[in-house]
Amino acid sequence: MTTLERAEAAEHALSQELDRLVIVKSVIYSSGESDPRVPMKRPPSAGKRFLMGHDPRLPRMPERPTLIDFFRYRFAPANHLLQSARLAQKNGMSEKVVMACLVHDIAIAGFIRGDHGYWAAQLVEPYVDPEVAWAIRYHQALRFFPDESVGYRYPELYSTLFGPDYSPEPYIHRAHEYARRHAWYMTARLLTVNDLYAFDPGVQVELDEFTDVIGRNFRQPDEGLGLDDSPSAHMWRTIMWPTRYL
Ligand SMILES: [Fe+2]
Ligand SMILES: [Fe+2]
């Protein structure tokens, strides 16, 4: 078989598999685009099975996935994360800050945008130093507040994205007040300093550069990330199998 024939055969097999499956999106994926109070339209399901595992439209994850596998198969391209981590390294930051930079926006990259700092912190909490998870949780709030002592200004990008008069919700103000009095404040603050506003499409950073940092700072579960029994394992499973019926 030629490469083209192989590609066509694979595509044919995929469409046949999809014909036999019903894939239903979770409400949160379309809430807003459609009213969550209105029952969702169901695709025809006669003679079909509801998807309960791997979604054939997605790259298959290894049996015991690692953080690096999630980067490869679910978060890519993760340029913003990789470039921020490299910048932190170049600026001589501690490994905790580098590690925090590397995963600080994984919620945006592969899960849920709103409250992304909280989601990302929760995802990694069982596997990293508590200070790393803490910094990730609070970077979301700290991004909105300047700190002259480290030359951090309110991002111009935020004025463009949210308008010049945008002010975050009261809970974000409270989080900032709490964080700036905390012993780990500077770790979260340095994360925001190295959190690039815009990634440079010309700079390609390879994940391999951070294999050692991940090895030293992320406790990879033997069973595979998501297949262990940690408090956030279910969230990793949702990223791996985002369209399972139950
Ligand atoms: Fe962020
Ligand atoms: Fe970021």
Side-chain angles (χ1 to χ4, degrees):
M1 262 207 257
T2 66
T3 316
L4 180 62
E5 283 167 344
R6 261 202 304 276
E8 278 171 355
E11 203 173 304
H12 181 68
L14 173 62
S15 81
Q16 278 198 319
E17 194 178 354
L18 289 174
D19 282 346
R20 288 191 294 266
L21 278 174
V22 183
I23 304 180
V24 180
K25 273 188 190 170
S26 290
V27 171
I28 197 158
Y29 298 150
S30 53
S31 186
E33 285 158 25
S34 59
D35 186 337
R37 296 166 302 178
V38 177
M40 285 203 291
K41 270 209 200 85
R42 288 303 190 97
S45 59
K48 295 185 179 190
R49 292 278 156 84
F50 284 75
L51 179 74
M52 281 302 279
H54 172 68
D55 187 325
R57 299 166 301 179
L58 288 169
R60 197 178 271 279
M61 302 280 296
E63 236 171 84
R64 281 194 282 272
T66 63
L67 177 64
I68 289 181
D69 292 321
F70 275 92
F71 265 87
R72 291 227 161 87
Y73 301 113
R74 293 294 184 270
F75 302 157
N79 286 343
H80 168 65
L81 296 173
L82 297 171
Q83 288 186 12
S84 297
R86 183 194 263 178
L87 179 65
Q89 244 170 3
K90 213 179 81 189
N91 287 336
M93 296 292 119
S94 71
E95 231 173 52
K96 280 181 191 167
V97 173
V98 175
M99 183 66 210
C101 281
L102 189 61
V103 291
H104 74 282
D105 284 341
I106 53 172
I108 292 176
F111 194 45
I112 294 171
R113 293 194 76 92
D115 270 325
H116 73 286
Y118 295 84
W119 285 116
Q122 233 179 332
L123 275 161
V124 300
E125 213 144 40
Y127 313 106
V128 298
D129 188 286
E131 191 173 344
V132 171
W134 192 93
I136 294 168
R137 177 168 284 113
Y138 287 100
H139 95 274
Q140 180 187 329
L142 295 191
R143 285 284 256 150
F144 291 100
F145 301 92
D147 182 342
E148 296 297 334
S149 79
V150 288
Y152 181 83
R153 294 207 198 99
Y154 184 78
E156 264 172 50
L157 177 72
Y158 279 14
S159 304
T160 312
L161 292 177
F162 312 129
D165 303 326
Y166 175 75
S167 176
E169 302 282 333
Y171 80 94
I172 290 288
H173 287 268
R174 283 198 305 273
H176 168 240
E177 283 306 315
Y178 166 75
R180 70 193 190 95
R181 293 190 177 88
H182 195 281
W184 292 337
Y185 168 71
M186 217 14 102
T187 313
R189 178 47 81 193
L190 290 173
L191 164 49
T192 67
V193 170
N194 291 280
D195 188 350
L196 286 168
Y197 302 142
F199 72 84
D200 181 346
V203 179
Q204 200 58 47
V205 184
E206 296 301 330
L207 187 56
D208 299 350
E209 276 183 38
F210 301 100
T211 311
D212 291 348
V213 173
I214 292 172
R216 284 190 293 271
N217 294 278
F218 192 89
R219 285 183 295 277
Q220 171 63 42
D222 294 336
E223 306 91 322
L225 199 46
L227 307 172
D228 54 328
D229 296 321
S230 87
S232 68
H234 61 290
M235 293 160 66
W236 292 96
R237 287 196 297 271
T238 299
I239 297 172
M240 178 155 58
W241 302 315
T243 47
R244 281 201 316 183
Y245 191 65
L246 294 178

